[in-house]
Amino acid sequence: MYLGNNSKLVLIKSNTCNSDEDYQKELIEKNHSNIERKADPVSNKFLIQMDQGLSLVLDSYPLPLFTMGSQEVLARFKSITKNEKNIVQFIHGDYEDVSPVEISRVLDHFISRWEKVKLQHLLKQVEKAKIQNKLATGIQKVLEAAMQNKGKLLILEKNFKDNLVKTENYKSFFKPDFTSNNSFFIKDEVDQILEQVFESGGDVEFVEEEALKNFNRIVLIEN
């Protein structure tokens, strides 16, 4: 496992599937032949162990994740991983014993489209939070969660404020006394959400218009 920045990859975890004796025993139990063993060189037990380690690493580095390997191995990894919501790209190829420089060269093609990668990663985090019941959507629910210091990651469309004042949905959110100047109070509430999330130690990401159209244009992933 490597952590990447703008200039290099840093090795942060290394595991080797070196329990050949255990793997042969596993194949014998499943009545696999030696030919099958050569075509299937990675134990499922090893992939599970790797995924467990990956879960710990992602707790420290909740970043977009690329996985590289043969099509067969990645297909089996995809079937057992509990971290698929962090994976933005499965990259098929023979990457055994390749150097970090070569890995970086392969990744350059994908990282060159960074905004697309970042959006894909954010949407996966939103889906993951939804499954875990840790997602607030829409300005009302987001504000309520933020004021309770639940804000881990706020994601909103860049033009969210401007589009909000054009809709009818905001009217029930504000007191009647404010209707003469709704635009001001809407912007004030959005700024309040931003401030509260920052004070709670959370992060904020802005995405392009329509990116969150299925989530009322603004979401808060709760801690």
Side-chain angles (χ1 to χ4, degrees), residues 92-103:
H92 298 142
D94 182 8
Y95 301 109
E96 187 176 359
D97 299 324
V98 297
S99 68
V101 174
E102 179 65 14
I103 293 174

Side-chain angles (χ1 to χ4, degrees), residues 6-17:
N6 290 332
S7 59
K8 62 181 179 179
L9 292 176
V10 178
L11 182 66
I12 58 175
K13 185 175 176 60
S14 179
N15 294 84
T16 305
C17 188

Side-chain angles (χ1 to χ4, degrees), residues 12-220:
I12 58 175
K13 185 175 176 60
S14 179
N15 294 84
T16 305
C17 188
N18 55 7
S19 56
D20 194 59
E21 184 177 332
D22 291 340
Y23 186 51
Q24 289 187 45
K25 188 183 299 183
E26 181 183 339
L27 289 172
I28 291 172
E29 291 173 355
K30 295 180 179 179
N31 296 318
H32 283 206
S33 68
N34 288 331
I35 295 177
E36 287 174 314
R37 177 181 179 277
K38 291 180 180 178
D40 187 24
V42 181
S43 167
N44 280 344
K45 291 181 180 178
F46 176 70
L47 292 178
I48 292 171
Q49 290 172 358
M50 284 292 293
D51 193 53
Q52 291 170 344
L54 179 60
S55 296
L56 297 175
V57 170
L58 289 173
D59 283 340
S60 300
Y61 302 100
L63 301 172
L65 174 67
F66 297 87
T67 62
M68 305 171 67
S70 72
Q71 188 167 352
E72 179 189 0
V73 172
L74 289 186
R76 284 195 286 123
F77 180 72
K78 185 176 182 179
S79 71
I80 61 98
T81 182
K82 298 183 182 299
N83 295 292
E84 187 175 358
K85 290 298 183 184
N86 291 87
I87 300 173
V88 296
Q89 189 73 46
F90 288 92
I91 304 174
H92 298 142
D94 182 8
Y95 301 109
E96 187 176 359
D97 299 324
V98 297
S99 68
V101 174
E102 179 65 14
I103 293 174
S104 292
R105 187 190 66 77
V106 174
L107 289 175
D108 281 346
H109 168 71
F110 300 95
I111 296 174
S112 64
R113 300 174 293 171
W114 180 249
E115 288 301 319
K116 182 177 179 180
V117 170
K118 186 175 76 169
L119 175 59
Q120 190 176 355
H121 173 64
L122 291 173
L123 292 178
K124 282 180 174 286
Q125 296 308 296
V126 169
E127 293 288 352
K128 182 178 179 180
K130 183 179 179 180
I131 293 172
Q132 296 174 337
N133 199 28
K134 293 184 177 181
L135 185 71
T137 64
I139 188 169
Q140 290 177 290
K141 292 184 179 179
V142 167
L143 178 59
E144 291 171 5
M147 296 306 293
Q148 296 174 33
N149 295 320
K150 294 182 178 180
K152 179 180 181 181
L153 175 61
L154 174 70
I155 310 172
L156 67 161
E157 296 180 0
K158 292 178 181 178
N159 55 355
F160 176 72
K161 291 182 184 180
D162 295 334
N163 282 346
L164 189 62
V165 299
K166 299 174 185 177
T167 71
E168 295 296 321
N169 296 331
Y170 72 86
K171 291 184 177 179
S172 62
F173 183 58
F174 301 97
K175 296 179 181 179
D177 294 345
F178 295 164
T179 55
S180 61
N181 197 4
N182 277 320
S183 177
F184 170 80
F185 287 103
I186 287 174
K187 291 186 178 182
D188 184 62
E189 296 298 340
V190 174
D191 290 338
Q192 185 179 0
I193 291 171
L194 291 167
E195 181 179 348
Q196 194 65 39
V197 169
F198 282 130
E199 287 185 358
S200 302
D203 295 316
V204 176
E205 290 282 359
F206 293 91
V207 295
E208 297 298 328
E209 186 176 3
E210 299 291 314
L212 296 174
K213 62 182 179 181
N214 295 329
F215 300 97
N216 296 318
R217 315 294 179 178
I218 182 171
V219 300
L220 182 70

